[in-house]
Structures are given as structure tokens and as C-alpha cells.
Amino acid sequence: MRITPAALLLAMMSGLLSFGVNASSPTQAAEADLTFESSAQETQYRTLIDEFRCPKCQNANLAGSDAPIAQDLKHKTYELVKEGQSNDQIRQYMITRYGDFISYKPPIKSSTWLLWFAPPLTLFLALMVWFLRVRRRTITTAPLSSEETWRLNQLLNDESQPSAKQELRDDR
Amino acid sequence: MSRMKRKQFLWLLPLVIFMGLAVVLWTRLGVDPKIVPQATTDQILPTFNLLNLTNGQLQTNASLPTKPFILNVWGSWCPTCAIEQPFLLKMQQQGVVLVGVNYKDQPADAVAYLTQRGNPFVLNLQDSTGDLGIDLGVTGAPESFVIDQDHRIRMHILGEINDEVWRTQLKPCLDRLIYKGAGQCV
């Protein structure tokens, strides 16, 4: 297999990305027996503590942190879920107290446009550049003239002549 | 010829980019990445109904001083609080008004701690559940807030208060609030 620069870069980037994901992936901390009225509430609770970030630990979510404040915020999330509050209400509760910092899912607003739209934009630009280059390459491959066709046929038919092959190689 | 040569080295480009990224990320490891949550700064102090640690009476926002003061979140369980305690006493002697939030503590332990080390606070709120702490946006203890005469939070300090924090942050903020009326500190 030929290693192209693009493939190499892609491999490195995916390596970096998966490393980053692993670093922040939740390791479910043991939780005191929490009871939920429905599995939907439990799912809501798990989703939220996965999404919220521990304000003390800089780079761990609530689910993966044993810091006292993370325990308290998990308990607060539990209480709010039990009260029947929606995801957005609970998110708002956390953001008014700890800011956008609390969420690993930053809101889309003017200060976060770069964060949200730079990756798809870069991908789009890269695809455009790639597309244009491929198209240009196709166009420059002009059809063979009658003279060239005649010569090509001659070279292909006359396989016994090593000098002809040699010539072909030199022409490349 | 030169084009051939350039093509030959093209495959090195990703490696160079990767090394550049690695150097940037590696050097960032030496920088303190601490982000101070400031969501509650410039907001009105959250409302509370808490017991007074020393006399057991119910306290509300109306019990707070009406001139700028420092709200200090502390606990007898917190080692850094014990380190900054002498400095708090020094501040009190110099006329700074301090209100304590006794955060997630056993009242008996907290009272014993104050008796033993001295009490720099004009008022101590007993926040056993830590709910006021969450409303203030604290991440632990000790943390301190500068509160203005209208009970609006003007500064949030994480960690120990010492001479440097006092000189560079707390005092300029308090002076501003006391001598120039209300205003932002950060």
C-alpha cells in the first residue's frame, strides 16, 4: 500500500482525536443507590452528568470525578431530575452558577462560532481544493493525437524489442 | 528537477505538522490551565435562609452588612482555610468587614475551630448542605467574594487569601467600592 501524505496526516489526526476522547471519557464513579421513577429519568441523569464538567478538576466530567464539588453537583442534578425539570432547565441552572465552562457542549453564540464552524468549514475547503485539483488533472490529460496512437500501438505490439520498452520508460 | 525534489519531501509535511502540534501541546502543559468560574461575578448575591453558626438564629440577605464586605467560604475540614485564617484576623483588625460561609461543616467542629483560632467574622452563615455554595458558584474552599453595598458580587477569588492577593486584588476592589461608590472590579 502506498502511503500518501493525506493518509498519514489522517492517521495522525485520528490518533490524536481518539486520545483526546479517551482522556475525557466517563469512568462511571460508584454512586450511592440512586432511585429513579423511570428509566427515562435515569437516562436523563446519566446524560447530564456526562455532559457537565467538574468545575474543580478542569478536564473531567461530573460522572468521572470524585471531587467533593462534583459529588454535590451530581446530587443537585439528581434532585432537579427528580423534580421533573427538563435538560434545558437543568443546563440553565448550572450555567447561571458556573458559566459555559460547566458544559462540554458549549452553546452556539457569536463567541463560539469559530469553535463550532471552523472544523466543517475546513473540511469543506479541503474537499473543494481536492475536487478542483482532481478536475484540473483530468482536463490536462488530453486525448492522444493520431501520431501518438500509432507510436503507442507500435510499441505495444513490438514486445520482443527491448529497446522499445526502454524508450517507453524513458519517456515517462 | 526542483519539482521532483519538492515532491520527494512532500510526504514529510504531515510529520512536520505533527511535530509542530506536539511541541505546542507539550509546552502548554507547563502553563496553569486553571479557569476561574466567573458566572456569578456582577450578579446579585443569591438569596438564602441559613442559621447563624454562633447563635442559631435564622439569617436572610437582610442580615448582611450594608457597606462593602468580603464573603469568605470556609470549613474546619479545609487545610488551606487554616493557612489563611491568620491573615483574615489581620484584615479584621484593619477594619475590613468579613462575613463567613461555613461550608459543608459540622457546626460543633466549626465553633471549636473559631474558639481556638479566633473569629474574624461579623456573621457566620451555616451552609451545611452546600446549597449557598453552589448558588455562589464555588468549586471548593477557601473561596472569597467581594460584595458591594447593594449586595452585588464584584470579585471571586479561588484559594488562599494572602498579602499578595490582598494588595493586588482585594484592596483595590474594596477601595473602589468604598470611595467611588459601586462599580465593576474585574
Side-chain angles (χ1 to χ4, degrees):
Chain A
M1 198 190 99
R2 210 162 73 87
I3 298 170
T4 64
L8 197 61
L9 187 63
L10 205 66
M12 282 169 173
M13 294 303 267
S14 62
L16 271 179
L17 279 177
S18 63
F19 175 74
V21 168
N22 282 339
S24 64
S25 83
T27 48
Q28 293 288 345
E31 260 141 40
D33 32 26
L34 299 175
T35 54
F36 293 93
E37 279 148 36
S38 64
S39 63
Q41 275 197 348
E42 182 162 3
T43 313
Q44 187 193 9
Y45 170 73
R46 301 265 170 230
T47 310
L48 287 171
I49 63 167
D50 251 13
E51 179 189 315
F52 293 145
R53 179 179 185 174
C54 161
K56 186 80 176 173
C57 346
Q58 308 300 329
N59 203 10
N61 57 11
L62 292 186
S65 170
D66 284 328
I69 189 67
Q71 304 289 352
D72 289 357
L73 291 179
K74 269 188 275 193
H75 188 73
K76 186 53 81 177
T77 308
Y78 173 70
E79 281 177 4
L80 297 175
V81 166
K82 292 277 272 188
E83 277 174 28
Q85 297 210 18
S86 73
N87 281 356
D88 276 345
Q89 283 172 313
I90 300 174
R91 253 179 225 130
Q92 206 46 53
Y93 176 94
M94 292 294 170
I95 287 171
T96 46
R97 285 157 181 79
Y98 291 96
D100 291 339
F101 177 85
I102 197 75
S103 177
Y104 272 121
K105 206 188 262 175
I108 299 176
K109 55 184 188 181
S110 56
S111 61
T112 58
W113 282 348
L114 193 67
L115 184 68
W116 277 99
F117 301 119
L121 199 71
T122 314
L123 183 67
F124 175 74
L125 285 176
L127 285 175
M128 281 290 282
V129 169
W130 177 72
F131 178 73
L132 288 175
R133 284 189 59 157
V134 165
R135 207 172 59 158
R136 199 179 332 149
R137 210 179 299 156
T138 336
I139 289 167
T140 51
T141 319
L144 297 177
S145 68
S146 56
E147 201 180 320
E148 284 167 333
T149 315
W150 176 80
R151 187 141 177 266
L152 182 65
N153 283 334
Q154 202 186 31
L155 287 168
L156 288 171
N157 293 334
D158 207 356
E159 279 186 344
S160 56
Q161 255 189 344
S163 63
K165 268 188 182 168
Q166 192 60 46
E167 215 176 333
L168 180 66
R169 207 169 289 152
D170 282 344
D171 270 352
R172 197 159 53 150
Chain B
M1 181 61 201
S2 75
R3 214 172 129 196
M4 280 280 285
K5 222 170 181 175
R6 236 188 306 158
K7 277 242 161 108
Q8 253 180 353
F9 287 102
L10 198 63
W11 69 274
L12 271 172
L13 192 66
L15 195 68
V16 170
I17 294 172
F18 178 76
M19 301 253 279
L21 267 174
V23 166
V24 168
L25 293 176
W26 182 257
T27 50
R28 281 294 301 169
L29 289 178
V31 181
D32 184 7
K34 199 170 209 166
I35 299 162
V36 180
Q38 291 287 3
T40 55
T41 305
D42 294 327
Q43 303 300 314
I44 285 281
L45 209 60
T47 53
F48 58 84
N49 276 295
L50 294 172
L51 295 179
N52 185 323
L53 178 72
T54 33
N55 62 23
Q57 281 178 351
L58 198 65
Q59 307 287 324
T60 65
N61 296 59
S63 328
L64 293 171
T66 49
K67 58 177 183 171
F69 63 96
I70 287 174
L71 191 73
N72 180 253
V73 180
W74 67 280
S76 65
W77 48 268
C78 147
T80 313
C81 301
I83 295 173
E84 73 173 9
Q85 173 80 359
F87 196 80
L88 298 183
L89 287 165
K90 206 167 129 192
M91 283 163 69
Q92 182 223 6
Q93 281 156 19
Q94 289 177 1
V96 178
V97 182
L98 286 150
V99 172
V101 175
N102 183 229
Y103 181 62
K104 300 189 69 183
D105 207 352
Q106 299 291 331
D109 293 348
V111 171
Y113 174 99
L114 290 180
T115 317
Q116 194 191 337
R117 295 167 193 263
N119 182 359
F121 304 109
V122 292
L123 166 69
N124 244 307
L125 305 167
Q126 197 182 311
D127 184 23
S128 312
T129 59
D131 277 349
L132 177 60
I134 290 181
D135 286 344
L136 285 165
V138 306
T139 65
E143 288 190 20
S144 305
F145 298 84
V146 179
I147 313 292
D148 74 10
Q149 52 270 53
D150 303 321
H151 293 171
R152 201 174 274 278
I153 298 168
R154 290 307 186 183
M155 189 176 271
H156 182 178
I157 305 274
L158 274 74
E160 183 193 340
I161 293 182
N162 49 34
D163 194 49
E164 201 199 328
V165 174
W166 166 251
R167 243 181 330 101
T168 59
Q169 301 187 67
L170 294 174
K171 190 171 189 300
C173 182
L174 275 174
D175 281 352
R176 207 184 145 85
L177 297 176
I178 292 167
Y179 300 114
K180 290 186 183 170
Q184 288 177 320
C185 284
V186 271

